[in-house]
């Protein structure tokens, strides 16, 4: 199996299980309806574990453009392979989301709420606030990359590494995921969001493209900061990319803070 096909299949598995659990828990008339956040985070962790077990020997199982990007940035992955990996991840995510749609087709028809349908495919913030949402994705992905590098640095049981990575995803979801739905992976959000836009989902509404940049930019920045900071603190390898990334991140965060989008109804009712 080629690395391209490995990334495509692994990411498709990730989305089939991860998107599938969201569909099962949220769509009407599903037997899993109402299962809650714990069920979702556990299944997402297992989704990553299964994806890594499936294709780790063929592609390294990045399954995430932020992982591919940061490994290239830190010199652990060739830049020439980055576009191919990201393309495979995006295609795999779209395919996985499409399979989830057809699997739950009757339940999409039985569900009227447009946000619930979109939530099967893409992340939706609990409180829409650009600064907070972006910061959440940066922090979550920073911890993801830090954790991946911690796990990789321990050779006690390499065969169990996929399980350890899955548990890391569960921990991030339970601890940090309640704000934005913890994309921490541009392909996990953008690929299925494209599928939502394309697929003939009954009464689906819009794909919320105004928010779509946050689960792409946030994970890329957070991942880069996580990898470069790990190298600096634990290996003593301080790269100029660390200072560049810090500067870019600071600028983007400051710009996001200046946006006027604190319009949640809950906040309005409190101030009233």
């Amino acid at each position: 199996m080629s690395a391209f096909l490995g990334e495509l299949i692994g990411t498709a598995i990730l989305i089939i299980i991860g998107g599938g659990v969201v569909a099962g828990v949220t769509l009407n008339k599903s037997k899993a309806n109402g299962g809650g956040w714990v069920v979702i985070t556990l299944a997402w962790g297992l989704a990553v574990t299964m994806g890594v077990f499936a294709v780790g020997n063929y592609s390294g199982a990045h399954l995430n453009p932020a992982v591919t990007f940061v490994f290239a940035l830190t010199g652990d992955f060739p830049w020439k392979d980055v576009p191919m990996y990201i393309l495979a991840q995006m295609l795999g995510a779209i395919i996985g989301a499409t399979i989830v749609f057809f699997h739950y087709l009757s339940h999409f028809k039985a569900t009227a709420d447009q946000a619930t349908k979109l939530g099967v495919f893409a992340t939706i913030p609990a409180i829409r606030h650009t600064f907070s949402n972006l910061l959440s994705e940066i922090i979550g992905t920073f911890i993801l990359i830090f954790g991946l590098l911690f796990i990789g640095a321990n050779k006690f049981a390499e065969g169990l590494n996929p399980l350890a990575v899955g548990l890391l995803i569960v921990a991030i979801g339970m601890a940090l995921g309640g704000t934005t739905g913890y994309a921490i992976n541009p392909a996990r959000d953008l690929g299925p969001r494209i599928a939502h836009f394309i697929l003939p989902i009954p009464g689906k509404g819009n794909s919320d493209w105004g928010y779509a940049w946050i689960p792409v930019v946030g994970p890329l920045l957070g991942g880069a900061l996580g990898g470069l900071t790990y190298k600096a603190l634990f290996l003593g390898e301080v790269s100029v990319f660390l200072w560049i990334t810090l500067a870019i991140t600071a600028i983007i965060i400051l710009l996001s803070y200046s946006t006027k989008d604190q319009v949640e109804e809950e906040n309005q009712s409190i101030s009233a």
Side-chain angles (χ1 to χ4, degrees), residues 172-189:
I172 292 173
M174 290 184 174
L176 305 173
T179 53
T180 62
Y182 75 120
I184 60 175
N185 180 343
R188 172 266 175 273
D189 187 277

Side-chain angles (χ1 to χ4, degrees), residues 192-253:
R193 196 182 295 270
I194 292 171
H196 176 273
F197 178 75
I198 295 172
L199 290 169
I201 304 166
K204 65 181 178 180
N206 70 70
S207 301
D208 195 10
W209 291 110
Y211 180 78
W213 70 274
I214 291 177
V216 173
V217 174
L220 290 175
L221 291 175
L225 285 174
L228 293 169
T229 302
Y230 177 90
K231 287 274 191 176
L233 292 179
F234 289 85
L235 303 180
E237 300 175 10
V238 180
S239 168
V240 66
F241 289 123
L242 174 59
W243 308 116
I244 294 172
T245 304
L246 281 169
I248 293 172
T249 302
I251 291 169
I252 293 175
I253 287 177

Side-chain angles (χ1 to χ4, degrees), residues 78-165:
W79 279 106
K80 66 181 180 62
D81 291 337
V82 169
M84 179 264 289
Y85 265 57
I86 293 178
L87 176 60
Q89 292 154 2
M90 289 296 299
L91 290 175
I94 293 170
I95 291 169
T98 301
I99 292 171
V100 171
F101 165 64
F102 283 109
H103 183 86
Y104 280 97
L105 179 59
S106 298
H107 300 275
F108 278 106
K109 292 179 179 178
T111 302
D113 186 68
Q114 295 177 349
T116 298
K117 295 176 184 179
L118 175 60
V120 172
F121 296 87
T123 57
I124 301 173
I127 297 175
R128 188 174 292 267
H129 180 251
T130 299
F131 170 78
S132 301
N133 302 153
L134 180 63
L135 193 60
S136 290
E137 289 294 334
I138 289 172
I139 293 171
T141 316
F142 182 99
I143 297 299
L144 169 65
I145 298 300
F146 240 50
L148 291 176
L149 294 172
F150 289 156
I151 293 167
N154 291 275
K155 307 299 182 182
F156 63 95
E158 290 191 2
L160 296 178
N161 279 358
L163 181 58
V165 172

Side-chain angles (χ1 to χ4, degrees), residues 3-95:
F4 179 89
L5 188 58
E7 285 296 296
L8 187 151
I9 291 174
T11 310
I13 291 171
L14 170 70
I15 300 301
I16 291 169
I17 298 176
V21 70
V22 177
V25 167
T26 62
L27 295 180
N28 289 347
K29 299 186 178 181
S30 162
K31 291 182 181 293
N33 184 266
W37 190 245
V38 172
V39 172
I40 289 174
T41 55
L42 286 173
W44 270 106
L46 291 171
V48 172
T49 296
M50 292 302 103
V52 174
F53 268 131
V55 302
N57 288 334
Y58 301 98
S59 68
H62 294 186
L63 315 183
N64 182 341
V67 173
T68 301
F69 175 68
V70 72
F71 283 176
L73 198 61
T74 57
D76 298 316
F77 186 76
W79 279 106
K80 66 181 180 62
D81 291 337
V82 169
M84 179 264 289
Y85 265 57
I86 293 178
L87 176 60
Q89 292 154 2
M90 289 296 299
L91 290 175
I94 293 170
I95 291 169

